[in-house]
């Protein structure tokens, strides 16, 4: 499993420009708002979802203010009974626990079987926020660097407009 230190080393080796903020543990994107106050960046939330048979996995990152129901995810993903993955399955797939899901968990997905989807609103500003390794650190990144990071890991991604 990749640790926080591994992630930072990788980001530095790739030359990504970021700001790292340390804060008390947060359980939701809304709780993290205080730690990023004053920074010009899209606040994000990231879901790790699966389909009815737990055969397909989705990492969906969106603006914290975007609201999408599970029924809407069924339609968007053309699946039935989309739901949150269990904490155990999520940990086995991406090495993260609830409350700390972010694109950096893709480092731990050896099977490369997670579909990555970004909300268009995530890139409405130049920068966006993601947890880095756990829920006590938030990084502020250029949106283009996040897209490149995901591509560098060997993933394709989709950008969808969840505001519709």
């Amino acid at each position: 499993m990749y640790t926080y230190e591994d992630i930072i080393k990788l980001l530095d080796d790739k030359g990504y420009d970021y700001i790292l903020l340390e804060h008390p543990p947060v359980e939701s994107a809304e709780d993290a708002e205080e730690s990023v106050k004053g920074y010009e960046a899209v606040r994000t939330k990231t879901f790790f979802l699966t389909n009815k048979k737990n055969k397909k996995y989705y990492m969906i990152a969106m603006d914290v203010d975007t609201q999408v129901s599970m029924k809407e995810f069924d339609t968007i993903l053309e699946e039935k009974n989309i739901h949150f993955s269990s904490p155990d399955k999520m940990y086995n797939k991406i090495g993260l626990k609830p409350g700390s899901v972010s694109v950096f968990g893709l480092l731990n997905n050896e099977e490369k079987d997670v579909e990555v989807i970004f909300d268009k609103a995530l890139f409405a500003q130049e920068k966006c926020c993601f947890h880095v390794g756990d829920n006590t650190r938030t990084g502020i990144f250029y949106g283009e660097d996040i897209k490149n990071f995901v591509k560098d890991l060997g993933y394709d991604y989709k950008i969808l407009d969840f505001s519709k």
Side-chain angles (χ1 to χ4, degrees), residues 78-141:
E78 299 176 356
E79 285 282 352
K80 291 185 180 176
N81 299 320
I82 290 292
H83 59 277
F84 288 101
S85 175
S86 72
D88 287 342
K89 281 206 182 283
M90 181 169 59
Y91 189 80
N92 289 336
K93 280 285 174 193
I94 60 172
L96 296 174
K97 297 178 181 176
S100 59
V101 177
S102 80
V103 294
F104 300 107
L106 296 170
L107 286 162
N108 296 313
N109 180 238
E110 293 176 9
E111 298 87 3
K112 302 275 191 249
D113 61 348
V114 174
E115 187 172 333
V116 181
I117 301 170
F118 293 118
D119 177 12
K120 180 180 173 184
L122 197 71
F123 305 112
Q125 295 180 35
E126 189 175 39
K127 295 181 180 180
C128 50
C129 305
F130 284 95
H131 282 308
V132 182
D134 63 29
N135 64 352
T136 65
R137 299 173 183 103
T138 299
I140 299 174
F141 303 91

Side-chain angles (χ1 to χ4, degrees), residues 4-22 39 104 127-132 137-143 145-146 149:
Y4 162 75
E5 291 78 13
D6 296 330
I7 295 168
I8 294 301
K9 182 175 179 348
L10 182 63
L11 292 170
D12 290 344
D13 287 350
K14 295 272 187 186
Y16 291 122
D17 186 21
Y18 60 91
I19 298 168
L20 187 65
L21 307 169
E22 296 194 17
Y39 290 92
F104 300 107
K127 295 181 180 180
C128 50
C129 305
F130 284 95
H131 282 308
V132 182
R137 299 173 183 103
T138 299
I140 299 174
F141 303 91
Y142 285 97
D145 285 347
I146 291 297
F149 177 82

Side-chain angles (χ1 to χ4, degrees), residues 1 47 138 163:
M1 291 289 167
F47 299 137
T138 299
S163 67

